[in-house]
Amino acid sequence: MSAKSDDPVDMRSDKLTFEAFRFSIPKQRPAVGVVYPKPSPDPRKQFLVTERDPLDRPEFLRELELSVDESGTIAVFVHGYNYSYQEAVYWTAQLGADAGNVPPPVLFAWPSQGSLTGYVADRDEALASRTELTRLLELVSRARGVKHIVLFAHSMGSLIAIEAVRQLQLEERQDVSHKLEIYLAAADIDVDLFRSQLADIGRLPHPITLLVSKQDRALSFSSLLGQERPRVGQADVHDPRIATIARDMNLRIFDITALKDSDGLGHDRYASLAKSSEELIQAERSPAAPGHVGVIVFTAANKLLLDPIRVISASHQRAGMQ
């Protein structure tokens, strides 16, 4: 027996599947990165999935309500290029573990090839997933108690995120878009395309925050594939023209080059930022002038996890986690 609704969110979110995971996270672990389980897993050294439960839509909404913190904040993480579903789930757990007082993010998983050679295919899949992310943001916005949605996207996931925000604005869903606090880490977006997207989006209540680094070899490769067109995630904060662009486009641009990476490419420095995520969010909500540009080095001390982490995901996938 099935039921249909005239609610457009109900009708257009049917491509999403929902799951909840509980992780055991080692107290002592690398400052950046995930330690995946081995055939004989050791919970003292490796990340382990201890529970995995499929969720229907009402159960997912209940999980969302449990994830909202006292300030009405909930976070959504959009992974980047070359992430399998399994990797995306583990990285979300890592972000949740390091974030401390910030609620663990809801993962939006899109069907990446999970391969270095799958760049073009990943870009197509990313663009094909923007409507599903839009619908997810609408669902999150409707959860009881939600006042702020931290939308954190990495790499090619930034393209999906900004396209979803653009779609919300074009659909006049300001009830959703005005709750968003947007962070784009190592954004793999052509600069001219980004300007066009921002023109459609218009000025949001909260500035869009860019986490950038000139020393990002993955984005250099992306630029090469795009006929050497510059990428947003490589913006030079020392260029005075960037300050003008930030003011005009309602952006905050932080240079995170000094943060440690684990991929050898300088593309996953955002993971080091998780330990300072609460400070970053507070800075975004501060009365400082929108468009503030500066070089910020995050050096917060590592934290040790004492409790298990629960991750919920909304997945637009052709195949599940293997």
Side-chain angles (χ1 to χ4, degrees):
M1 181 176 181
S2 65
K4 292 187 176 292
S5 170
D6 292 333
D7 185 334
V9 175
D10 289 332
M11 291 188 292
R12 292 192 287 181
S13 63
D14 58 357
K15 293 183 180 179
L16 294 173
T17 58
F18 307 109
E19 291 188 283
F21 298 83
R22 187 173 293 277
F23 276 82
S24 167
I25 309 289
K27 294 180 181 180
Q28 303 290 345
R29 60 186 187 280
V32 180
V34 173
V35 183
Y36 293 101
K38 296 180 179 179
S40 298
D42 183 348
R44 297 170 300 176
K45 299 178 180 180
Q46 298 147 19
F47 287 53
L48 300 178
V49 176
T50 58
E51 294 180 23
R52 180 184 181 185
D53 300 305
L55 304 173
D56 60 23
R57 189 167 173 274
E59 290 170 334
F60 176 70
L61 287 172
R62 284 195 291 272
E63 288 284 349
L64 289 178
E65 292 171 0
L66 292 174
S67 299
V68 181
D69 72 5
E70 293 180 356
S71 70
T73 299
I74 193 166
V76 176
F77 172 59
V78 186
H79 66 82
Y81 149 70
N82 188 29
Y83 275 70
S84 68
Y85 181 45
Q86 180 181 19
E87 290 170 326
V89 170
Y90 273 86
W91 273 98
T92 306
Q94 185 265 335
L95 291 173
D98 284 345
N101 294 330
V102 177
V106 177
L107 168 66
F108 175 74
W110 55 277
S112 166
Q113 298 290 308
S115 167
L116 287 173
T117 60
Y119 183 87
V120 174
D122 269 15
R123 182 175 175 83
D124 290 343
E125 294 287 6
L127 289 171
S129 299
R130 55 191 166 189
T131 296
E132 281 68 37
L133 177 57
T134 305
R135 302 288 80 84
L136 172 63
L137 294 174
E138 291 173 340
L139 286 174
V140 171
S141 177
R142 291 166 57 176
R144 184 172 51 196
V146 171
K147 298 177 182 177
H148 309 284
I149 303 172
V150 175
L151 177 58
F152 192 102
H154 174 235
S155 184
M156 197 175 286
S158 299
L159 177 62
I160 310 174
I162 209 68
E163 278 291 305
V165 177
R166 176 178 176 271
Q167 189 164 329
L168 286 169
Q169 289 294 87
L170 294 176
E171 294 175 357
E172 299 185 352
R173 292 304 309 270
Q174 284 78 18
D175 58 313
V176 181
S177 62
H178 284 192
K179 293 181 179 180
L180 296 176
E181 300 172 12
I182 303 164
Y183 298 82
L184 307 181
D188 190 359
I189 309 175
D190 173 83
V191 168
D192 289 336
L193 172 60
F194 189 57
R195 287 175 180 266
S196 175
Q197 291 167 320
L198 292 180
D200 288 338
I201 290 170
R203 201 171 189 88
L204 296 171
H206 300 281
I208 295 173
T209 298
L210 305 180
L211 309 176
V212 305
S213 171
K214 290 286 288 181
Q215 298 176 19
D216 188 322
R217 288 185 289 279
L219 289 184
S220 295
F221 171 70
S222 173
S223 176
L224 181 64
L225 289 178
Q227 299 181 335
E228 300 188 2
R229 298 174 66 88
R231 318 313 283 175
V232 169
Q234 290 184 303
D236 183 356
V237 298
H238 302 292
D239 185 338
R241 295 172 296 179
I242 295 298
T244 300
I245 291 171
R247 284 194 302 271
D248 292 345
M249 295 188 172
N250 197 29
L251 305 175
R252 284 178 173 166
I253 307 177
F254 297 149
D255 191 309
I256 61 171
T257 301
L259 296 182
K260 186 177 180 180
D261 66 78
S262 67
D263 61 0
L265 298 174
H267 195 53
D268 66 357
R269 290 186 175 96
Y270 75 97
S272 295
L273 196 62
K275 296 181 178 65
S276 299
S277 56
E278 186 173 19
E279 291 84 352
L280 184 63
I281 291 171
Q282 289 174 350
E284 197 280 335
R285 294 178 187 168
S286 74
H292 169 74
V293 178
V295 178
I296 298 182
V297 179
F298 295 90
T299 58
N302 293 347
K303 299 176 183 177
L304 298 182
L305 180 71
L306 300 178
D307 299 310
I309 284 294
R310 189 163 174 82
V311 169
I312 55 176
S313 74
S315 175
H316 176 225
Q317 298 284 325
R318 289 192 171 83
M321 180 176 173
Q322 300 299 316

